[in-house]
Amino acid sequence: MTSLTQLIQQVGSDHPAARDELFAAAYPELRKLARARLRSGGRNTMLETTALVHEAYLRFLAAGHLRLEDRKAFFAYSSRVMRSVIIDTVRERQAERRGGGQPDLTLNTQIRDNLPGGETEILQVNDALLALEQAEPRMAVVVEMRYFGGYSDDEIAEALDLNKRTVRRDWEKARLLLFAALRA
């Protein structure tokens, strides 16, 4: 069986069917990543694990030629794609909720109780994360991998070639900065 790193290198050299083999080999780990991202109720986007993984794969295919070095870079990229899928899904749902160009209609306020929570929070975190990305790119990657990718400190440290303590410090500092941005 070919390792993920070898498959990633084959994808980089445009080897036929390497993308499908890479997806098949990484599928269990991608599902684990997606499940970790979606399991917390505060970030419910009405996506299921399988839908998130498959949508990420479709975006992976649409990206064309990718230059990923190894397994770490692939899963960091996957985390970013999953973030993008979640953000786009939330934006689409909110556009639908606002009518999507349909005429306004007064509804019973009890309907509001059945809507999924946390979507506004996801968009606010994304906006704050974009601002953080401009100021502190490494911290933004740590937040992205942890918040949207569901990675642990150990996994982030390994993926970014950092010390676990550095990751923890970046996470704490980023949380404070994001909290201040979200309160503003």
Side-chain angles (χ1 to χ4, degrees):
M1 183 170 164
T2 309
S3 75
L4 282 180
T5 302
Q6 290 171 329
L7 287 171
I8 291 167
Q9 291 169 350
Q10 289 175 0
V11 168
S13 63
D14 293 329
H15 186 270
R19 286 177 190 244
D20 292 337
E21 290 177 33
L22 175 60
F23 180 71
Y27 189 77
E29 202 161 336
L30 289 171
R31 279 189 55 83
K32 178 182 166 193
L33 187 103
R35 192 175 313 114
R37 180 70 271 133
L38 295 175
R39 98 173 115 224
S40 59
R43 296 186 270 284
N44 184 5
T45 62
M46 300 301 288
L47 274 173
E48 293 179 352
T49 302
T50 303
L52 179 56
V53 173
H54 289 203
E55 183 62 31
Y57 176 66
L58 291 174
R59 290 187 185 195
F60 176 69
L61 287 178
H65 187 72
L66 298 176
R67 297 195 184 273
L68 300 175
E69 304 84 45
D70 58 9
R71 172 187 184 91
K72 297 174 195 175
F74 173 74
F75 284 106
Y77 175 75
S78 297
S79 180
R80 176 163 282 176
V81 170
M82 286 184 188
R83 168 189 170 196
S84 173
V85 170
I86 291 170
I87 296 300
D88 290 348
T89 301
V90 168
R91 286 184 176 147
E92 287 172 14
R93 285 188 45 76
Q94 287 193 339
E96 288 173 11
R97 199 178 300 158
R98 288 187 295 271
Q102 297 295 318
D104 289 340
L105 176 68
T106 303
L107 299 174
N108 185 337
T109 58
Q110 292 173 342
I111 292 174
R112 180 180 53 199
D113 298 335
N114 296 327
L115 296 175
E119 290 182 350
T120 304
E121 174 192 342
I122 291 172
L123 294 178
Q124 290 172 342
V125 169
N126 184 58
D127 292 341
L129 187 57
L130 291 174
L132 179 64
E133 202 171 272
Q134 296 297 316
E136 297 286 341
R138 187 181 75 201
M139 273 189 233
V141 171
V142 168
V143 171
E144 185 174 77
M145 291 180 77
R146 185 164 178 154
Y147 186 84
F148 288 98
Y151 283 104
S152 69
D153 289 344
D154 292 331
E155 293 167 327
I156 295 169
E158 181 183 338
L160 299 179
D161 290 327
L162 297 172
N163 184 310
K164 181 180 173 182
R165 190 169 168 187
T166 301
V167 170
R168 207 173 282 139
R169 276 194 312 264
D170 281 355
W171 170 247
E172 292 300 323
K173 185 175 179 183
R175 277 184 42 207
L176 293 173
L177 292 171
L178 290 173
F179 182 72
L182 291 172
R183 290 190 77 206

